[in-house]
Amino acid sequence: MDDLRVHDAAPDRAETTQNPVFEGVERAIHEQRLPPGTRLAEAELTEIYGVSRTIVRAGLQALAHAHLVTIRPNRGARVAQPTPEDAREVFEARELIEPRTAFEAARKATAADIAHLRRHSAEEQDALAARQHGRALRLGGAFHVEIARISGQRTLEGFVDELVARSALIISLYWARERVRCDTQCHSRLIDAISRHDADEAESLMRSHLLDIHSALDFGDDSADDTDLRGMLLG
């Protein structure tokens, strides 16, 4: 694989979401089909997605800017492996930012916003009932991004979007419970608080929810082996 180097300028979010490599790898990370440390070979990604190496490289660069992939000269790209310190920083950042977005969402949510959150939560519960735990995890993370969107604070929404994606890798490595998922009961309580426009309650629920997830992380060593990349991305 040719050398890849991360450029200083971050790619535009609209452009990255239209890149099939970025979209496919990010989704597989969210659904925990692509473990930390997995090698992402340019040639294999070109074949899997049927795109040029230029598009593959752009997708990998965007993933690196999002802290989801690490790129090293002469060694290629791999799914990032966050350290325990990285994990603590990510969840401490979420514990600072997301209670505020929940507070603002409760103040600003419209009836349409609340209906959308309820449909989203129902979809997450359906995924759990079908034992589609990876899909449920992705939907659980997206729920947090939706609350940030409703808050109307676009800068914080961008931070939450990135932190949620990084959290999927952290959970892959360090989760200590049997089932990886956001607590749908807590999500239901959050929606109820938002529907009542109870900003203080929404803020408190979000903080306790994130602290509960953080407390379930176990910072023992774990490692991922390289298995079938095509199967993990398209499975």
Side-chain angles (χ1 to χ4, degrees), residues 198-221:
D198 189 337
D200 290 334
E201 178 68 7
E203 181 180 39
S204 177
L205 283 169
M206 181 65 84
R207 181 177 291 108
S208 63
H209 177 39
L210 292 169
L211 286 169
D212 183 56
I213 298 172
H214 192 171
S215 70
L217 301 177
D218 179 7
F219 297 113
D221 279 339

Side-chain angles (χ1 to χ4, degrees), residues 89-106 140-149 151 153 156-167 182 187 190 194 199-211 213:
E89 288 182 5
V90 164
F91 273 92
E92 285 170 4
R94 292 187 66 179
E95 289 154 18
L96 286 171
I97 294 170
E98 292 193 60
R100 182 64 187 180
T101 60
F103 182 94
E104 292 297 327
F143 178 87
H144 287 251
V145 179
E146 282 300 305
I147 288 178
R149 178 191 62 78
S151 78
Q153 300 187 343
L156 293 185
E157 180 187 350
F159 290 149
V160 172
D161 193 11
E162 177 182 319
L163 292 168
V164 164
R166 295 175 69 182
S167 296
C182 253
H187 286 183
L190 266 167
I194 290 169
D200 290 334
E201 178 68 7
E203 181 180 39
S204 177
L205 283 169
M206 181 65 84
R207 181 177 291 108
S208 63
H209 177 39
L210 292 169
L211 286 169
I213 298 172

